[in-house]
Amino acid sequence: MFLTDAQLMSEIRRCEFCAEKPCQTACPCDCSPADFMMAAAQGRPSDFKRAAGIILSSNPLGGICGSVCPDYHCVQACSREKFDSPIRIPEVQAAIVRKARELGQVPQFTPAAKHGLKVAVVGGGPAGIGAAVTLTQLGYEVDVFDPEPLGGQANLIPGERLDRGVLSADLIYLTEVFQLSHITQKAPSGKELLASGYAAVVLAGGLNDPIRLNIPGDETAIYGMDILRNPGCWLFEGKRIALVGGAIAADQALTAKKLGAAHVEMITLEAWHEMPLTEDEKRGLIEAGIEFSPRTRISEIINANGKTTAIRTRRV
């Protein structure tokens, strides 16, 4: 859900432009919300270009992050919380990037002088793209190796949380402006890449191996993100589904519900207020009818004839 123009300017005008910039200190990308909101404060087309430039210079995936960034970084550090409520910084960030594109005010970056060295980046997800853009700005030529489309696991985030237009616009912008070379094949070994002429290799393959429960009966459990990769392959209609995990489980819970599951329940070690989800994401789960069993772990999956018939849980 995007902010309207009126909501965007209202949120920007609430910024105190703190000298200490606690929002920037709290940002893992060292992006300064105070600076990009000050840049956009007058609402002119050139202001949105300058503000988007501040965002994208610190965070090349600024539009995507604005849509899905959790609220426990810059939002919790916002000094407005001491007065009324914190500024909706991620939404403001996403709206500024979107507004700049709509106005034809997409920022451009001066290409760095090339020094003839090439770097191979293995993995085309957010980490790999961030590394590739940074290296390009430092004058390196970069090849990104990934047999899958650029974006990595960001492509698996349901459209309700990450608009497909935002995802594709960010990726198209980066490949065009920074001339990223995407080699759609599995990368050779690091030694082979170095031997073929690359000055260095960056490994950004992501965390693809799921944590296993290692409990009796888990041979019938579904591990990983296959539900998000191929939602149309799962026959959940009318079934009872239990999910173990946090943010990824939440996305899979919504997907299972859309596929017609009769009962979808999230089992989490965390209490409700400790779950790694934003308030909007929690609200979306509630509205979708997802059930919750917090402070709970699965101790056994009970199977009969190769199918799950029940689970045994334990309070923690």
Side-chain angles (χ1 to χ4, degrees), residues 288-300:
I290 308 299
E291 302 290 336
F292 300 92
S293 292
R295 293 282 189 211
T296 304
R297 64 181 289 265
I298 291 183
S299 58
E300 183 181 359

Side-chain angles (χ1 to χ4, degrees), residues 29-115:
C29 294
D30 196 39
C31 187
S32 175
D35 286 332
F36 68 65
M37 284 191 281
M38 181 180 289
Q42 299 302 314
R44 296 174 296 222
S46 60
D47 296 333
F48 285 109
K49 182 175 185 176
R50 186 164 59 254
I54 292 171
I55 294 168
L56 296 174
S57 64
S58 294
N59 182 359
L61 295 172
I64 295 172
C65 278
S67 298
V68 300
C69 191
D71 56 7
Y72 47 75
H73 295 307
C74 56
V75 174
Q76 286 193 3
C78 179
S79 59
R80 288 291 318 193
E81 190 167 16
K82 300 175 183 177
F83 308 124
D84 39 36
S85 61
I87 297 169
R88 296 156 66 183
I89 296 172
E91 293 168 87
V92 170
Q93 176 174 312
I96 287 174
V97 174
R98 174 180 57 88
K99 191 75 176 172
R101 289 197 177 109
E102 289 177 351
L103 295 170
Q105 297 290 322
V106 178
Q108 300 296 316
F109 292 89
T110 303
K114 301 296 183 183
H115 45 52

Side-chain angles (χ1 to χ4, degrees), residues 29 32 40 45 50 53 84 91 165 181 198 201 230 237 254 278 281 298 315:
C29 294
S32 175
R50 186 164 59 254
D84 39 36
E91 293 168 87
S181 169
Y198 289 100
V201 177
N230 304 293
E237 188 170 359
L254 290 173
T278 67
E281 289 166 350
I298 291 183
R315 297 286 292 172

Side-chain angles (χ1 to χ4, degrees), residues 43 56 60 72 81 126 149 172 221 236 267 280 288 302 304 309:
L56 296 174
Y72 47 75
E81 190 167 16
I172 290 171
F236 288 146
I267 298 172
D280 285 345
I302 301 171
T309 57

Side-chain angles (χ1 to χ4, degrees), residues 196-220:
S196 66
Y198 289 100
V201 177
V202 177
L203 300 178
L207 299 174
N208 296 307
D209 293 331
I211 298 172
R212 303 195 73 85
L213 294 174
N214 293 321
I215 58 174
D218 72 344
E219 65 275 4
T220 59

